[in-house]
């Protein structure tokens, strides 16, 4: 009777726990709008700190190499000097700041003039380009009159619709667009301010990262103890290495792709070589979909100049991405994440849908960490149950014998 009562008590507690969890989840979903607003406000407030963290993370490898090398040089040249490390750190921080400012300034100087030039050219040559595109379509389709009539008819219908849209929708809402533009300018100024503050935060973080890391470890060991603390520290180190290797490697890979693209476009005298190469290089940071995100607006831009040039560029991008995916990328990144191709695609779609472009950039290393954690947890529980952790034992598995724990394969 006692055992029966214990069973009832356990079932009752389980039911209460399920109800409480359901109520909490319901409350969270009901208040999701307020939570989202609060999170957005917090993120907006500390965005400059976030900029600084990202900058510090990206410049940390450069900082470490410069400071270590200079500390050794100063120590060998001035063996009695007590502060060679401080000077080395100061010079390394200054070097990272100069490199960062140079990169931002170089990107601005490359993009802005080319962008202004591209916009003015599009405005000047768009009508001409549309006529050229129409003539080009006629030349291609002249051998098939029925198809030509269908395509040109639709093309003219689209042109008429665009003109009608410009007259009825765009022109009456000019004031709204100007307000939005003003808001965009203010947002851009806010980003500039955040970048400047972020640089200051970066300098502090670069010099304090060792101290902050040691303080974090101390707190972990104080709360979790030695055994679990070691696991947490090991996992934190793995996460840091994963993000560092993947993101830094991807940036190097994207710079190389941008340079190769620029050389090709300059050699065959394609227009907007610098602007398109910057777009291709920057979007290449996004795995899998990045090349397409960069190629589509570039092809549209070239299409207004010459359909043949746009076609040549499209073919070139396909070739370049094959070279990157099979030769350049693997050489630089290697097997950084160890994720199968399906999970790479899945992670980009998932994180891209949740967090946009930033989510797409961090998707692969983040999912690699989740994937590894799930694998380790499942292996731990399998070993605890006396089962094999290696996946090869579960290939073509029909069932596991409950008594002998023998793996019975399908015939």
């Amino acid at each position: 009777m006692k055992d029966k009562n214990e069973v009832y008590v356990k079932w009752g507690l389980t039911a209460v726990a399920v109800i409480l969890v359901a109520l909490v989840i319901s409350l969270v979903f009901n208040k999701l709008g307020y939570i989202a607003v609060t999170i957005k406000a917090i993120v907006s407030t500390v965005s400059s700190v976030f900029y600084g963290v990202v900058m510090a993370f990206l410049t940390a490898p450069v900082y470490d190499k410069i400071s270590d090398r200079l500390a050794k040089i100063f120590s060998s040249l001035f063996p009695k000097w007590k502060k060679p490390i401080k000077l080395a750190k100061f010079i390394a921080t200054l070097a990272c700041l100069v490199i960062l400012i140079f990169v931002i300034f170089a990107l601005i100087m490359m993009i802005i003039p080319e962008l202004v030039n591209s916009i003015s050219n599009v405005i000047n040559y768009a009508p001409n380009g549309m006529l050229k595109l129409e003539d080009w379509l006629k030349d291609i389709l002249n051998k098939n009159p029925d198809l030509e009539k269908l395509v040109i008819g639709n093309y003219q219908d689209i042109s008429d619709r665009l003109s009608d849209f410009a007259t009825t929708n765009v022109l009456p809402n000019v004031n709204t667009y100007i307000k939005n533009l003003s808001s965009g300018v203010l947002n851009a100024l806010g980003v500039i301010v955040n970048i400047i503050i972020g640089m200051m935060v970066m300098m502090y973080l670069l010099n304090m990262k060792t101290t902050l890391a040691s303080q974090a470890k101390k707190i972990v060991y104080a709360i979790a103890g030695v055994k679990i603390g070691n696991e947490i520290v090991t996992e934190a180190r793995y996460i840091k290495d994963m993000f560092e290797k993947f993101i830094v490697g991807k940036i190097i890979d994207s710079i190389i792709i941008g340079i190769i693209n620029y050389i090709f476009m300059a050699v065959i005298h394609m227009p907007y070589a610098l602007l398109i190469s910057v777009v291709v290089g920057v979007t290449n940071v996004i795995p899998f979909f990045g090349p397409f995100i960069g190629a589509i607006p570039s092809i549209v831009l070239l299409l207004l100049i010459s359909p043949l040039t746009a076609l040549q560029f499209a073919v070139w991008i396909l070739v370049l991405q094959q070279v990157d995916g099979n030769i350049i990328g693997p050489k630089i990144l290697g097997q950084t994440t160890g994720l199968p191709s399906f999970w790479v695609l899945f992670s980009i779609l998932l994180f891209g849908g949740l967090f946009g472009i930033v989510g797409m950039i961090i998707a692969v290393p983040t999912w690699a960490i989740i994937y590894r954690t799930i694998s380790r947890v499942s292996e731990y529980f399998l070993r605890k149950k006396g089962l094999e952790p290696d996946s090869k034992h579960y290939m073509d598995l029909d069932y596991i014998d409950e008594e002998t724990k023998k793996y019975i394969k399908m015939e």
Side-chain angles (χ1 to χ4, degrees), residues 186 190 193 205 226 234 292 367 379 396 408:
L186 290 174
V193 171
L205 287 176
V226 175
T234 302
F292 302 103
W367 192 257
E379 286 173 8
D396 301 321
I408 310 300

Side-chain angles (χ1 to χ4, degrees), residues 115 135 167 202 215 230 238 273 276 279 305 313 324 395:
L115 195 59
D135 292 338
T167 306
M202 178 199 77
Q215 289 173 346
N230 284 337
Y238 171 79
I276 289 174
V279 171
I305 305 299
F313 177 76
D324 181 34
M395 294 286 185

Side-chain angles (χ1 to χ4, degrees), residues 222-239:
I223 295 170
V226 175
K227 187 177 179 180
I228 298 174
N230 284 337
E231 287 290 327
I232 294 171
V233 169
T234 302
E235 286 302 307
R237 191 177 292 114
Y238 171 79
I239 291 168

Side-chain angles (χ1 to χ4, degrees), residues 55-107:
M55 291 176 192
F57 182 79
L58 293 175
T59 56
V62 178
Y63 171 86
D64 290 338
K65 285 184 180 179
I66 293 174
S67 60
D68 291 345
R69 185 66 62 86
L70 288 177
K72 288 177 183 177
I73 293 169
F74 292 152
S75 297
S76 60
L77 291 176
F78 312 104
K80 294 183 180 180
W81 194 24
K82 295 180 179 179
K83 297 182 179 179
I85 296 174
K86 282 189 176 181
L87 180 61
K89 286 184 175 181
F90 172 76
I91 295 172
T93 305
L94 197 61
C96 289
L97 185 62
V98 169
I99 291 168
L100 196 62
I101 292 171
F102 174 77
V103 169
I104 294 171
F105 181 75
L107 283 173

